[in-house]
Amino acid sequence: MKALIVGGSGVAGQCALRALKQFDPGAEIWATSSKDGDVAGATHTIRNIDINNPGAIEKLKGFGEKLDYLFYTPAFGSVGNPVAAATRAEVQAAKAFCLDPMVVLTEAIRPKMTVAYTAYYFKPHLLAFYGALAYVKYATEKLAVENPAQYKCLRIGSFVSKATRGIGLLLQRMAKTAPHLKPLMELYAESGMKFSDFFFDYISKEEKKNIAGDKPYRMTTEEDIVAGHLQLLKGEPAPIINVLGEQIWAESALPLLPAEMARANEILS
């Protein structure tokens, strides 16, 4: 098996690496890094690939191997702002980083399957601060639902990472001047916790209420994300694989969008 992971050093990239090696110990894995060092676990590292640099995608378009999988992990957007307040410019900027390069690469190097990463962007707890990223995650899932033979999405619950801790810190800094965060900060004041602990406690309670429902729930771990990748590698035909703690299930349809995302098709065009 041969695979290319764009963004191999982050949690998603490392989980993809682990799953590939578990599934096929002989897998040949190329992984990109925005820096000059090696990506842990990869067979080959493609260095200095910064998606903000247009030349990075041009370089990857020349990748000559016949791939079984392309995993595309980069994510960027106006996180911290309400989804309903995202502007078309913010959404287009996020799409230019998170989605458009993946499609360009897929069309250039023609892997058998392209794998993207999404989230529960349509649930209430993320609508408050997921900003432009929500629309891009929706567009990514739409692409997969319409082209399931080429694209798959791993829709992953919140997990503790450098990126999610960063989101928590950003929200804490924004809170003094952001009215939409007032309800969250009132809960924080009542909690008596450090903000970092409160943030993940809040997310876990919201995921249990709004996603897990009556199913067993715990916050998602890297082991769970590896398990989601393994289900995909074993040939799951559905375009969306959900991972929420130890719960993994597949879906073939897009979610019903909340009123906050009523402009989705307009803002993405």
Side-chain angles (χ1 to χ4, degrees):
M1 181 178 289
K2 294 184 176 183
L4 169 62
I5 303 171
V6 179
S9 297
V11 172
Q14 284 292 298
C15 288
L17 267 163
R18 288 173 56 192
L20 284 162
K21 288 185 168 183
Q22 285 186 38
F23 187 77
D24 178 6
E28 190 171 9
I29 305 167
W30 289 261
T32 74
S33 173
S34 61
K35 300 180 174 62
D36 197 36
D38 289 342
V39 173
T43 317
H44 314 280
T45 298
I46 305 173
R47 298 171 177 81
N48 301 309
I49 298 295
D50 183 349
I51 303 302
N52 285 307
N53 179 354
I57 295 301
E58 287 302 312
K59 181 178 178 180
L60 290 177
K61 282 169 64 176
F63 189 84
E65 298 285 339
K66 295 293 185 183
L67 293 172
D68 295 288
Y69 288 95
L70 166 64
F71 294 86
Y72 188 86
T73 74
F76 170 80
S78 58
V79 174
N81 297 318
V83 169
T87 67
R88 188 174 187 277
E90 289 170 341
V91 171
Q92 293 298 322
K95 184 170 171 283
F97 187 89
C98 305
L99 178 57
D100 295 344
M102 180 185 76
V103 175
V104 168
L105 278 179
T106 297
E107 293 175 351
I109 64 180
R110 304 309 303 176
K112 292 180 182 176
M113 181 65 66
T114 302
V115 182
Y117 298 84
T118 64
Y120 293 92
Y121 57 89
F122 49 91
K123 294 299 184 179
H125 61 289
L126 291 187
L127 290 172
F129 57 80
Y130 212 55
L133 263 182
Y135 297 93
V136 179
K137 298 300 186 187
Y138 168 71
T140 305
E141 292 185 351
K142 188 170 186 287
L143 179 69
V145 167
E146 293 175 352
N147 304 275
Q150 181 63 69
Y151 294 97
K152 301 282 190 224
C153 291
L154 281 164
R155 183 194 283 157
I156 300 171
S158 297
F159 52 92
V160 177
S161 69
K162 182 178 178 181
T164 50
R165 288 188 188 281
I167 291 172
L169 290 172
L170 174 65
L171 295 179
Q172 189 176 18
R173 287 198 300 268
M174 290 178 63
K176 292 180 181 178
T177 57
H180 71 279
L181 294 176
K182 184 179 179 182
L184 181 68
M185 299 312 291
E186 288 175 347
L187 289 174
Y188 163 54
E190 294 168 3
S191 73
M193 299 179 181
K194 290 181 6 184
F195 189 82
S196 59
D197 295 335
F198 160 77
F199 180 66
F200 287 108
D201 181 67
Y202 167 77
I203 292 294
S204 66
K205 288 176 179 174
E206 289 293 306
E207 285 190 335
K208 177 171 176 53
K209 178 175 69 176
N210 295 318
I211 308 171
D214 294 333
K215 296 177 182 177
Y217 172 82
R218 60 169 168 72
M219 186 165 271
T220 303
T221 67
E222 292 185 24
E223 293 296 331
D224 301 323
I225 300 171
V226 171
H229 280 85
L230 285 170
Q231 178 155 326
L232 182 148
L233 293 171
K234 290 172 184 174
E236 171 58 58
I240 300 171
I241 297 172
N242 292 273
V243 180
L244 186 73
E246 63 186 355
Q247 303 296 321
I248 299 175
W249 70 99
E251 294 182 12
S252 296
L254 289 167
L256 292 174
L257 292 183
E260 289 90 340
M261 294 184 69
R263 299 177 299 140
N265 291 327
E266 170 193 344
I267 210 168
L268 282 162
S269 64

